[in-house]
Amino acid sequence: MLDIRFATARSASGAVAVVVPSGSPDAALDLLKLGPADLAECAAFLKDVEHSGSAGTVHTLPRPGRKPSRLLFVGIGDGNEAGWRSAGAALARKARTETSLRVLVPHDTAPEAVRGLAEGLWLASYRFSLADTEPDPLRRVTVALPATGAAIGALEQALEQAKAVVTATVLARDLTNMPSDRKTPAWFAQQVVKAAAGIPGLTVEVREPSHLAAQGFNAILAVGRGAASERGPRLVELSWRPRGAKRHVVLVGKGITFDTGGICIKPTSNMKLMRKDMGGAAAVIGATLAAAAMRLPVRVTALAPLAENALGADAMRPGDVVTHYGGLTSEILNTDAEGRLVLGDAMAYAVRRLRPDVMIDLATLTGAQGVALGKRTAAMYCHSDTLAGTLATAAAAAGESVWRMPLSDDYVDELDGDIADLVNSTDIGAGSLLAALYLREFTGPLRDRWAHFDMSSPAWSDSNDGELAKGATGWGVRTLTRWLETAC
Ligand code: BES
Ligand code: MN
Ligand code: ZN
């Protein structure tokens, strides 16, 4: 991770970035401690390139043989957190090959601005690699404030918050990018144990197949039964229990370490990215670690039901019936609708044993989500306007996009099974919505204090795009963490 720190402004030899607010490029010039001739040159340059100050736009003025050697004028738009985040991301990409970067910001820069800038810089400079690769030349970014005042404490704190949420997002991205030959359920569980080690207040419990069987997690076992025994299922329970917490939030994440579809096998084009099918699990683990890093005063339990949906001699078949934790039964009409099966067990366990105040689940659950909302926007399902509202506000502040979808009771009869309580698949369309209605059956008394995010497409980015790097996005870590920070 880049080293980001504060310092007071002074002239620098490397690259210097100056923030440009939308509509007033001259405000940028005030930040530069340059002589009149240099200032005139900069003013002419800004006019020449027609710098609008729109968020994330960078124009570079090379100054060979002079100090600073390059000036990067970066737009922050209206100057809200999102504008600063775009600016940070754009700088991370433009300045990768510089040896140092100093960012000049106004003396009244707000903590939210610093958080946005740092998140953008860190998130956009992420790269996944299996081997030890050479890091980018840019190792350090200095945020230069005209003076160090009393407000520096709040800025330092904003930087710490950004670091906690980025560290958690990086973990979620690393887990999701990892190829599934390495990423078995046991491996994932071990990564959680490692990440939680040494952080006071955090505990991890990993249930192995024998425990899952003894305790009745039959759907998790059924989904995992097609895989070789070294690749058998697990249930990870990570819990953050600060002293004096008044609220308990349970986060449940779909953890399919690879989804072949099972006996109802996927075509190649649909299967090739299915190592991302544990993105929900990665996000809930990440958010819980971030809550611990920030020492948030709310109890959080993350549940990650992990299984590989493989083909094998003992794989579950269409027509099989499984009895979930808690007793509901599901008729498996499609072995490719496996996510809702494992989530059903974990949610029933949460409701019965953990008795949370709120339960939120995240899952790469349906292709239909991407059809409805595309690559960037996750589908949110929630009966409570209040909970949906606070989650939408948190997502917007954190820079992730969500859209609330209806939980239409019109379709609920479609879920009735002939020989079981529920069927795990229907063919009447509205696939994302029906998956949500299926999950709702496992919420018991928490029905109105539950939210479900179908983040199938946003879990992955096809390109380097703003703060997203090509590959896993870590979608949900930022929304959940911000919601835990602000609404709990
Ligand atoms: N993991 C997939 C959903 C998915 C598709 C995630 C594309 C990300 C990108 C899920 O397990 C699945 O296969 N869902 C089926 C459900 C259907 C069989 C009812 C689907 O969406 O086709
Ligand atoms: Mn599937
Ligand atoms: Zn799946």
Side-chain angles (χ1 to χ4, degrees), residues 254 259-261 266 274 277 309 335-339 365:
K254 171 177 172 180
D259 184 10
T260 63
K266 287 182 185 293
M274 280 301 136
D277 211 15
N309 189 23
T335 63
D336 199 8
E338 82 298 338
L365 205 57

Side-chain angles (χ1 to χ4, degrees), residues 105-123:
V105 304
H107 70 275
D108 56 353
T109 297
E112 300 77 60
V114 165
R115 181 161 177 176
L117 178 71
E119 283 186 10
L121 279 163
W122 275 322
L123 289 171

Side-chain angles (χ1 to χ4, degrees), residues 195-212:
I199 304 177
L202 273 180
T203 51
V204 192
E205 188 181 343
V206 179
R207 288 180 176 81
E208 312 223 336
S210 55
H211 291 100
L212 294 173

